[in-house]
Structures are given as C-alpha cells and as structure tokens.
Amino acid sequence: MKIIVVGSGYVGLCTAVGFANLGHDVVCVDIDHEKVRKINNGETPIYEDGLEGMLSQALQKNKLHATTDIDSIKEMDFIFIAVGTPSKEDGDIDLKYIKSASADIANFIRDKNYCTVVVKSTVLPETTEKTVLPILEKSGKKAGKDFGLCMNPEFLREGKALEDFFNPDRIVIGEYDKKSGDELVKLYSSFNAPLIRTNLKTAELIKYASNAFLATKITFINEIGNMCKNLGIDAYDVADGMGLDKRIGKHFLQAGIGFGGSCFRKDVEALLAKSKEVKSESKILSTILDINKDQPLKIIHLLKKRLPDLEGKTIAVLGLAFKEGTDDIRDAPSIVIISELLKHNCKINSYDPKASNNMRKLYPDINYCRSASDALNESDACLILTGWDEFKKLSYKDFNNMNSKIIIEGRKVLDRNLVTGFEGVSW
Ligand code: UGA
C-alpha cells in the first residue's frame, strides 16, 4: 500500500519506518527541512532503539523517503496525521498543527482518487469529527464517499516504539463509516493483535483513558511507596504481592520519583480540561497531577535529611532522561530536581548515556560527565534518577571515590549484590 505520514516526530517516524519495513511504500511529510534532510540521509532526529537500522533498510529498499512538499506526491492509499498536539495554558490541547496538516491534506486530496485519512495524533474526543473532517471537506470531497476517515490511536512507548509497533497489545480503529474502517483493517491485516472497531470519538477516548489509567496506577503506587518509606517497607515487595493478582497486574507498579515524558501529564491535563468542558469534572485526574508534581521532591527531602547543609555541595546526578532507553527529557523529574539543587548552589556532576545534549540546552552550566564514575568522583551525594541498564552494573568500587557515600535512588536500579548502603525514595 502507499502511505503518507504527516509529521516526523517520534510517533510519525516510528510508524513510517514500521510500515516501510512491512513492505509498504511510505513518504514522510514534515515542514522541518532539516528533519527531512536527516531522514533522507538515514539519520534519525531522535534516539530510539533500532530506529536508525530500520530507517536505513527502508531507504536502501526504496520503501521510504521524506519531503516537505505533500503536493509532490501522486496517488495514495492512506494519509496518517501524526503531528504534535502540545498543551495550551489551560491544559487543553493546541490543534494548530492538526489544523494545518488537515488543510494541506484537503488540498492534496482535492484532485485525487479515494484514499483514507487516519488521525494518529492524540486528540480529544470529537476532534476528528468536529475539527479534522470539516477542514478535509473544504476540498469539495465528502467523507465516507470520496475519502475515508479513521482515528487510530498509538500506544507506542518511547524506547520500545518499534517493538510496540510490530507487537501491539491491541489495534483500535475508530471509523467514520464502515468503508473507511474496512480499508484500515486491510492495512493491519498482517498484525497478530486484537482489533477493536468503534466510532471516532470512542477511539479518541480509549487513548486518553489508557494513558490516564497508567498515570493513575503509577501515582497510586507512588503514594503507597511514600507510605512504605515511613513504615520501613520496600514498595517493590508490596507491588510484587499486588501484581500477582491478575485483576491488578504487575506492570506500572514501579514506585519512584513520578512519571515524566511528553504524554502523561499533557494527556491527563487535556482529559481534565475536557471533563470540565462536558460538565463532568474529574477529581481523580487533578489529584494525580498534584501528587506527581510533588513526587520528584521526595528525593530532595531525603537528601536534606542526610545532608542538611546542601549549600555548595557536589551532587552526582545519574540519569537525566525521563526514563531509560530514550534521550527525551520532556517533563523529566531530573529537571525539577536539578532546579532544586541549583537553588542550594550545589555543584552538579551529571551523567546520562543519551540525554546530556538535550539537557545542556536547558541547563548549560552544570557539568556533563563522560561516565557515571566521572560524575561520582569527589561528590558528596549521588542521586539516581533514570533506570538505565548500565547503572545496574555499578558496583561499590564505582562509589568509592565519593567524598561521602550518600546514595539515593529515585528509580530502583542498583544491584543489591554489588552495592550496599543506599536507600530509595520508597524502599
Ligand atoms: C506512554 C504510554 O506508556 C504509551 O502507551 C503511549 O503511547 C505514550 O505514553 C504516548 O501517549 O505517546 P511513554 O511516555 O513513552 O509512553 O513512557 P512510559 O513507559 O509509559 O513511562 C512514562 C513515565 O512513567 C516514565 O517517566 C517512567 O519512568 C514512569 N513510570 C513508568 C513509573 O514511574 N513507574 C512505572 O511503573 C512505569
């Protein structure tokens, strides 16, 4: 099949590369010339496991290319909208990229045969029908007759995006009409996953409700974890005991310094704004946001207990990315923690295997070390903020060069057989 993917952020690019590797002919469309140049050169604008290799395979096989000019493309079977939906001040989502992509697509389909437009961006219930559809119909073509329209949310995790693309837990197809849905079902026919067909706004809400539920689950275990800390209980032992109950499940019960990333806070805020708009205000969603805002500060609180006078101390910060496996620092707990340390005039020796360059743009003046050992050298305390695999290999020798051996984990990562004498935020 011939597929256009509009927007080459992490969702768009991973989706494009995924479809190209399944043998489809894919064109990535993006307004950013530099991004387009990079993609055509086989360079990925983001770090994502396996993406570079698969992109170069797709380029070699002539299955993918990128352009800024959608009008240079001839006929298409599918056009995916995968542009960003950033937050506005009031928590609602900003639809400017969705609107401009829809307008470009309207121009494109004006003189084309039937193709199916698929909204993959995370958009609030009713957006596809009330915002995207009317813009597309300005082409003079009718949805359901001259072109198809679907909403197909993505559930890709950063760091595991390609694995998730090829092995989804489910595929959700929100369809404007049966023909549109039938077309998209054909595209996904080679996937071995349960397929849910529903209407557009239900598909939109499935995405938000899923992310909000995951954020709730993490926040719940973080609250239990905070209690555990005061009770001298390891929250991970509690999570193990809970997770074996099939109704609860073991995933997303890892307590720590709170969720970060570009999705959870933004999506919870947007769903909260929508709940207010439809006069059914969610109490749980605003509480989740409040709790998660405070959660990174738990590690500062513990640090101050151990090192009451933080003024001018050297703190090793291991891990800057919002989670392991990515260079993404959006909403990373490390941002809040570094800002707190700087308020106390701490000297920060940071280390992250992938995210230092991104953090440098935000905090140009802290130290970016080449290894965890370098960061630990002569530090007064160490905070572990991301669960990178390489931190699992750290042994007591790596910590021997610290001035004082205060080690606090925000994510449970150190190997208890290799290091002793450390504590965690909820263990
Ligand atoms: C999340 C969802 O998991 C994806 O299904 C969804 O497609 C994506 O958002 C999106 O909407 O685009 P992602 O933000 O990549 O994916 O990261 P997660 O793996 O969900 O982790 C989010 C945050 O929660 C990270 O900071 C992570 O460290 C934290 N987390 C996760 C915990 O603190 N505890 C856990 O048990 C799990």
Side-chain angles (χ1 to χ4, degrees):
M1 306 254 193
K2 294 186 167 52
I3 301 171
I4 295 178
V5 180
V6 181
S8 302
Y10 111 93
V11 172
L13 189 56
C14 292
T15 303
V17 168
F19 279 129
N21 275 270
L22 289 174
H24 300 291
D25 294 302
V26 182
V27 186
C28 297
V29 177
D30 202 286
I31 47 171
D32 183 336
H33 287 265
E34 179 57 11
K35 226 182 230 179
V36 163
R37 186 196 63 76
K38 278 192 167 170
I39 294 170
N40 285 330
N41 270 346
E43 298 164 42
T44 53
I46 46 160
Y47 170 74
E48 181 64 42
D49 195 25
L51 186 61
E52 204 161 87
M54 278 206 183
L55 172 63
S56 68
Q57 276 179 35
L59 290 167
Q60 270 166 25
K61 290 185 189 155
N62 260 330
K63 286 287 166 195
L64 183 146
H65 74 273
T67 176
T68 51
D69 179 15
I70 192 169
D71 295 323
S72 63
I73 305 168
K74 294 196 179 90
E75 293 297 323
M76 272 298 140
D77 300 308
F78 293 96
I79 306 174
F80 279 81
I81 301 180
V83 295
T85 49
S87 295
K88 291 199 290 200
E89 289 265 301
D90 60 358
D92 198 1
I93 53 170
D94 188 340
L95 291 176
K96 66 179 175 212
Y97 301 119
I98 292 279
K99 287 179 183 167
S100 62
S102 303
D104 290 346
I105 295 169
N107 255 334
F108 176 78
I109 59 174
R110 187 159 297 170
D111 56 355
K112 301 285 187 302
N113 293 330
Y114 184 98
C115 67
T116 304
V117 180
V118 185
V119 176
K120 190 146 258 314
S121 305
T122 298
V123 291
L124 283 163
E126 303 183 314
T127 307
T128 304
E129 189 143 12
K130 292 193 175 160
T131 303
V132 177
L133 183 144
I135 300 177
L136 293 176
E137 287 194 337
K138 283 192 183 150
S139 61
K141 301 220 161 182
K142 276 258 148 255
K145 179 172 160 277
D146 307 315
F147 67 91
L149 183 60
C150 288
M151 200 282 149
N152 171 222
E154 62 85 16
F155 302 103
L156 310 179
R157 292 164 298 168
E158 287 188 35
K160 302 246 187 282
L162 289 168
E163 189 184 315
D164 289 347
F165 177 86
F166 291 112
N167 308 292
D169 285 347
R170 76 296 207 189
I171 294 163
V172 176
I173 295 180
E175 56 197 44
Y176 177 71
D177 65 319
K178 186 168 177 309
K179 182 170 183 214
S180 306
D182 287 347
E183 292 296 315
L184 198 52
V185 168
K186 277 188 227 154
L187 180 65
Y188 281 114
S189 60
S190 65
F191 286 75
N192 180 22
L195 202 138
I196 291 162
R197 289 181 73 163
T198 184
N199 58 31
L200 297 170
K201 63 184 174 188
T202 306
E204 290 164 331
L205 188 54
I206 288 173
K207 165 69 190 204
Y208 275 97
S210 300
N211 270 5
F213 182 77
L214 292 173
T216 309
K217 205 172 172 189
I218 298 169
T219 306
F220 177 82
I221 199 64
N222 283 341
E223 278 216 315
I224 294 289
N226 296 343
M227 219 186 291
C228 283
K229 189 69 191 173
N230 294 343
L231 285 165
I233 295 171
D234 184 331
Y236 280 67
D237 293 341
V238 177
D240 283 347
M242 289 168 66
L244 286 171
D245 185 325
K246 289 191 192 65
R247 293 167 304 171
I248 297 174
K250 64 183 168 86
H251 300 291
F252 277 65
L253 282 181
Q254 293 166 329
I257 44 177
F259 58 77
S262 64
C263 305
F264 282 174
R265 182 188 50 81
K266 174 175 87 79
D267 292 353
V268 172
E269 278 178 356
L271 191 56
L272 178 60
K274 190 72 183 177
S275 76
K276 289 179 187 163
E277 185 196 311
V278 298
K279 311 237 170 329
S280 179
E281 182 168 345
S282 164
K283 293 200 179 75
I284 200 166
L285 295 181
S286 53
T287 307
I288 287 163
L289 294 168
D290 287 345
I291 297 171
N292 196 62
K293 206 169 173 194
D294 286 347
Q295 200 60 21
L297 300 174
K298 302 285 171 199
I299 203 164
I300 297 287
H301 179 70
L302 285 180
L303 178 63
K304 281 185 182 162
K305 267 191 175 169
R306 303 277 299 276
L307 206 58
D309 182 14
L310 271 180
E311 199 65 25
K313 295 287 188 304
T314 301
I315 311 295
V317 171
L318 302 189
L320 300 169
F322 83 94
K323 67 169 185 183
E324 60 281 12
T326 176
D327 60 355
D328 196 342
I329 58 157
R330 285 176 290 177
D331 264 357
S334 60
I335 296 175
V336 178
I337 293 164
I338 290 172
S339 145
E340 279 302 308
L341 295 173
L342 290 176
K343 281 184 202 158
H344 291 89
N345 295 315
C346 292
K347 178 182 169 209
I348 296 172
N349 288 342
S350 75
Y351 169 69
D352 189 286
K354 297 284 175 204
S356 295
N357 281 344
N358 283 336
M359 193 57 94
R360 209 187 295 271
K361 293 174 204 153
L362 204 62
Y363 290 116
D365 298 327
I366 66 170
N367 294 324
Y368 293 91
C369 303
R370 293 156 69 110
S371 68
S373 291
D374 280 357
L376 289 164
N377 197 21
E378 296 191 1
S379 61
D380 299 300
C382 162
L383 305 181
I384 300 182
L385 307 186
T386 313
W388 284 104
D389 271 352
E390 70 172 80
F391 300 156
K392 292 184 185 152
K393 295 180 197 132
L394 292 173
S395 77
Y396 69 95
K397 285 187 210 138
D398 296 292
F399 295 93
N400 272 349
N401 56 6
M402 293 177 72
N403 285 342
S404 56
K405 218 170 159 187
I406 298 172
I407 308 164
I408 310 175
E409 286 181 308
R411 307 276 184 210
K412 197 170 195 178
V413 54
L414 295 175
D415 183 336
R416 269 93 194 121
N417 297 316
L418 298 176
V419 197
T420 52
F422 59 89
E423 64 172 320
V425 280
S426 353
W427 51 95

